[in-house]
């Protein structure tokens, strides 16, 4: 079985045309910089310069940096949900689980991979009541729900517990691959995922 293309675990690096609407250009620039360098390390002046816009235009579309960060998290979430719906549509549960594992492995080895954008952002936004934190939690709740649904459809006896295990494996792989040999992490992740699925009777 061929895995689908690597899922956009990280924000899309597609080039935004110079004549794209200002909001789209600003958000794409901010997403690229936030992911590559860290949210708090990137100032608004840097975003204005690299997006080839003005501060007035930026603040016309985003009330401040916090709103821009929230939009970054929400847009990354939207990209991943859209990819997942398209890539897994029509696949059986077992096939979908293995496809997700393969796609994640591809992403870990992709150039410019710097870990999970949601975990990275969570480290910079520890306040549980912050809107950015709420957006991060919403994405992770959705992702865990996808895993639990597929595990249940595959007939595993404990889909909720296994989904938590898969999330922990995914998180650990995403963080470790950004700091060590991603090929080794990918191989270890593949073994661990298959062990979980085998113990659950999926493969």
């Amino acid at each position: 079985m061929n895995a689908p293309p690597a899922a956009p675990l990280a924000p899309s690096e597609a080039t935004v045309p110079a004549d794209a609407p200002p909001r789209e250009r600003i958000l794409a620039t901010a997403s690229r910089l936030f992911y590559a360098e860290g949210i708090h390390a990137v100032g608004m002046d840097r975003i204005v310069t690299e997006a080839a816009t003005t501060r007035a235009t930026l603040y016309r579309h985003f009330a401040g940096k916090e709103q821009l960060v929230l939009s970054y998290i929400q847009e990354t979430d939207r990209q991943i949900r859209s990819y997942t719906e398209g890539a897994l549509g029509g696949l059986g549960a077992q096939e979908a689980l293995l496809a997700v594992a393969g796609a994640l492995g591809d992403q870990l080895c992709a150039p410019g991979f710097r870990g999970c954008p949601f975990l990275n952002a969570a480290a910079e936004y520890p306040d549980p009541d912050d809107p950015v934190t709420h957006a991060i939690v919403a994405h992770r709740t959705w992702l865990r729900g996808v895993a639990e649904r597929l595990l249940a459809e595959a007939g595993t006896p404990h889909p909720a517990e296994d989904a938590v295990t898969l999330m922990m494996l995914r998180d650990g792989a995403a963080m470790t691959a950004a700091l060590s040999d991603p090929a080794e992490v990918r191989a270890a992740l593949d073994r661990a995922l298959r062990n979980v699925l085998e113990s659950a009777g999926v493969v």
Side-chain angles (χ1 to χ4, degrees), residues 12 20 26 29 35 37 45-46 60 62 64 123 150 154 162 169 177 181 191:
S12 172
I26 292 167
T29 300
Y35 181 68
E37 301 180 19
D45 287 342
R46 172 90 178 278
R60 186 161 58 248
F62 303 96
L150 292 175
D162 289 334
L169 289 171
D181 183 351
R191 290 193 300 272

Side-chain angles (χ1 to χ4, degrees), residues 174-197:
M175 298 305 292
T176 307
L179 299 170
S180 58
D181 183 351
E184 290 183 357
V185 175
R186 177 179 187 171
L189 174 64
D190 183 65
R191 290 193 300 272
L193 283 171
R194 287 186 175 276
N195 285 339
V196 170
L197 298 179

Side-chain angles (χ1 to χ4, degrees), residues 102-151:
L104 176 57
D106 289 343
Q107 185 67 60
L108 297 178
C109 296
F113 179 73
R114 293 182 58 82
C116 170
F118 300 94
L119 294 179
N120 293 350
E124 298 195 59
Y125 284 83
D127 183 355
D129 295 323
D130 193 292
V132 173
T133 304
H134 289 172
I136 294 168
V137 171
H139 171 79
R140 291 179 57 78
T141 299
W142 164 79
L143 186 59
R144 188 178 63 203
V146 171
E148 183 175 343
R149 174 179 60 81
L150 292 175
L151 287 163

Side-chain angles (χ1 to χ4, degrees), residues 21 47 99 104 158:
I47 295 169
L104 176 57
H158 306 291

